[in-house]
Amino acid sequence: MRIQSLEKNALPISGELRVAGCRGSIRTNSFSVIHSLEKWRSDGIGEADFELAVLVQPTHPVALEPPMFRGRDGVIFATFHGTDLFFFDLVARQISAAVSEQTAGDAKFWNTVLIPIAIGVLGPMMGVAPLHSACLTSAGHGMLVAGLSGAGKSTLTIALAKEGFALVSDDWTYARREADDVSIYGLDVPVKLMPDTVAYFDELKTERLIRSMNGELAFEVDPQTKFGVQVSEQCEPDCIVFLQRSMGETSITPLDQSLARLFYERSAELLPAGLSKASEDRQKIIEAVTKRDCWLFQYSGNPQQGASVLKNFFEETYDVHCWRASAS
Amino acid sequence: MSIAGALRLPEPPDLLRRFVPTPFMVRGQMDGISFCIWTNDARYLRLRGKVVGKVVSTKPELNWTLVCDPDLPSGLEEPLVLEVENAKLLGFGRACFVAAHPKSKALSGFIAAGISPEEFAETVLPVALKLCAESADD
């Protein structure tokens, strides 16, 4: 039996992070982890909202092993690469991990996998509600795009970004209560597009499909480099658009705010009874977000046509003029 | 059909299997520590008074929620214990995870369904109880 302490004296290298408006502290025994998290580094942050303790040890990761997640009460267990072990203590807002040297130096893993998961699971304990939505912004005006799986949310999102919106997120966004309002954050993760989207975006013709974390074959691309679109880390939302594919005419009609609220509530993981305060906080943030205008966007045709209709509607309704990449 | 019906809103997911019911209870004693295991696997009932010793104290010292999971791989690997401020975290590779909170005398975790209750009692249980006993002595 190997016993490893993650106490402060065992992990002497430390740093501070800022992610989705939350302050984090990190302790580790390896500079590789600090370098991998460079993107989130912050100085002099005061009291941390969450703590990350990472022990780097000489194990050998198995790249093809799929990740695994389980949870019970206030604890979540996760494994990556077969040998990397993570424990999320929701009550203490602590992440404890033992990882290989290879994983420690894998910035892509930390930035696009671990940090989004950390904010997703610890978020409700820190006043952050993960929302199953894409998010775009233009001239300070934000738009959340929600929809059931398979509705074409990511495809429409890229088409909208190519119409001049800045992309905040294509799948999960993080709503944080700040002062009297709510801010929406993205975590700059790759955009995931299904194989059939290659029919709409020539840029994907040279891309290879990869096995994503949930086992689906998909394109996972950096939107800035692949499509030349703008990205933004954060925005304040003006409206929520619920996307639904239609066989009939394209239409945009008001949607009852209670339905948008219900959608976000039901797409979030249930929290255990012992975390009722976090559950209430999450509910309040969802209520605050869904006080915005809510629209049902039913569209047929290709994503470019849908994006054009939605862009014109957004510009007229909110008096915004989107910067268009092709016009530069 | 209402818009809510037409939108086919999903039920909240339980991707982490947090809410798997654990209706079966086994009480026992090992190395002087009495415990109570709540599990979803009826096979564990055969441990009653057999593999684990007879219960002496009337009140269990440790309460353990153990979910047997058919999707976890079965091979128990060398145990790794991570000691953090208020908990001890025990992993046997990808086949078994346990979080022990010595102060509240509570354990929770998952184990591969391919691991028999007897193997659990011989391998996992002694390690977890030892950890909790050491913490109590600290």
Side-chain angles (χ1 to χ4, degrees):
Chain A
M1 178 165 62
R2 286 177 296 141
I3 299 179
Q4 302 280 8
S5 171
L6 299 190
E7 304 282 349
K8 282 182 181 165
N9 53 1
L11 304 176
I13 304 166
S14 62
E16 285 86 40
L17 312 172
R18 183 171 277 276
V19 186
C22 299
R23 296 164 300 185
S25 68
I26 175 164
R27 290 184 288 110
T28 178
N29 60 337
S30 166
F31 283 107
S32 292
V33 179
I34 300 289
H35 291 150
S36 292
L37 289 164
E38 183 64 32
K39 172 178 170 178
W40 312 101
R41 285 286 298 280
S42 171
D43 293 322
I45 58 168
E47 192 179 343
D49 296 308
F50 69 96
E51 291 179 11
L52 178 57
V54 183
L55 174 77
V56 178
Q57 51 179 4
T59 52
H60 300 286
V62 185
L64 294 178
E65 288 285 357
M68 190 279 304
F69 303 92
R70 296 291 184 272
R72 198 77 197 178
D73 304 322
V75 176
I76 293 173
F77 310 90
T79 63
F80 299 91
H81 316 118
T83 56
D84 299 327
L85 191 56
F86 283 78
F87 291 92
F88 299 81
D89 184 330
L90 304 195
V91 176
R93 285 177 277 156
Q94 286 176 336
I95 304 165
S96 307
V99 305
S100 69
E101 288 164 355
Q102 188 175 321
T103 298
D106 183 355
K108 188 178 176 191
F109 166 78
W110 294 97
N111 294 332
T112 66
V113 177
L114 196 277
I115 288 291
I117 289 170
I119 296 301
V121 301
L122 296 182
M125 318 299 297
M126 308 187 290
V128 174
L131 302 177
H132 193 197
S133 265
C135 183
L136 300 119
T137 183
S138 182
H141 295 263
M143 172 169 64
L144 289 161
V145 180
L148 298 175
S149 293
K153 183 163 43 72
S154 294
T155 315
L156 182 72
T157 298
I158 290 300
L160 282 164
K162 293 181 83 169
E163 285 281 344
F165 285 87
L167 176 64
V168 179
S169 167
D170 82 309
D171 192 19
W172 283 92
T173 60
Y174 303 89
R176 186 168 194 269
R177 188 180 276 282
E178 289 177 348
D180 294 332
D181 206 353
V182 174
S183 281
I184 298 291
Y185 289 86
L187 294 180
D188 196 16
V189 297
V191 170
K192 183 176 153 189
L193 295 161
M194 292 294 108
D196 61 348
T197 51
V198 71
Y200 305 118
F201 302 118
D202 286 344
E203 296 91 332
L204 295 175
K205 285 181 177 166
T206 55
E207 280 295 314
R208 289 178 60 187
L209 292 166
I210 62 166
R211 184 79 55 192
S212 56
M213 204 152 59
N214 67 356
E216 288 178 326
L217 271 178
F219 297 110
E220 287 193 0
V221 295
D222 177 81
Q224 261 182 309
T225 53
K226 182 47 67 178
F227 298 109
V229 302
Q230 296 182 93
V231 297
S232 178
E233 182 193 346
Q234 181 251 340
C235 76
E236 275 72 46
D238 282 54
C239 67
I240 299 167
V241 175
F242 195 94
L243 172 65
Q244 193 175 47
R245 294 290 287 168
S246 164
M247 300 301 285
E249 289 186 5
T250 295
S251 65
I252 302 175
T253 52
L255 180 73
D256 196 308
Q257 291 169 333
S258 64
L259 287 174
R261 193 160 61 238
L262 200 58
F263 171 76
Y264 286 133
E265 287 169 1
R266 289 199 187 177
S267 53
E269 280 257 344
L270 284 173
L271 292 173
L275 303 177
S276 57
K277 169 76 168 58
S279 214
E280 286 166 18
D281 286 350
R282 186 172 68 183
Q283 177 105 2
K284 284 179 187 166
I285 296 169
I286 289 174
E287 282 173 13
V289 170
T290 53
K291 281 180 180 162
R292 270 75 180 168
D293 298 342
C294 296
W295 306 99
L296 177 64
F297 178 42
Q298 294 177 294
Y299 87 98
S300 54
N302 67 39
Q304 284 82 2
Q305 291 165 333
S308 178
V309 171
L310 191 52
K311 177 199 166 197
N312 290 337
F313 171 81
F314 188 77
E315 286 184 339
E316 287 171 16
T317 307
Y318 298 101
D319 195 21
V320 181
H321 294 284
C322 300
W323 176 90
R324 190 180 164 87
S326 59
S328 63
Chain B
M1 186 185 287
S2 68
I3 291 179
L7 295 180
R8 301 189 310 279
L9 296 179
E11 290 300 318
D14 183 22
L15 302 174
L16 300 174
R17 308 184 190 192
R18 276 172 164 148
F19 300 99
V20 173
T22 52
F24 305 109
M25 189 268 277
V26 179
R27 289 186 69 187
Q29 185 160 303
M30 183 178 276
D31 300 331
I33 303 170
S34 60
F35 56 86
C36 179
I37 298 172
W38 292 90
T39 177
N40 59 329
D41 190 340
R43 295 179 305 159
Y44 278 71
L45 295 178
R46 68 189 188 220
L47 293 181
R48 282 179 173 169
K50 191 176 167 187
V51 178
V52 293
K54 285 185 181 174
V55 179
V56 178
S57 70
T58 54
K59 191 177 174 186
E61 289 178 39
L62 295 172
N63 279 294
W64 191 336
T65 307
L66 183 69
V67 176
C68 295
D69 189 323
D71 294 328
L72 293 182
S74 293
L76 286 173
E77 295 176 18
E78 180 194 5
L80 170 66
V81 179
L82 299 182
E83 293 182 331
V84 296
E85 194 175 337
N86 297 314
K88 294 197 175 185
L89 309 161
L90 176 58
F92 291 79
R94 301 171 71 223
C96 179
F97 313 96
V98 179
H101 292 91
K103 277 188 184 168
S104 57
K105 297 184 176 179
L107 298 97
S108 59
F110 288 78
I111 189 166
I115 294 166
S116 71
E118 288 75 17
E119 189 178 1
F120 161 80
E122 288 168 17
T123 312
V124 178
L125 186 58
V127 175
L129 294 181
K130 185 166 178 266
L131 282 181
C132 287
E134 285 172 357
S135 297
D137 294 340
D138 288 347

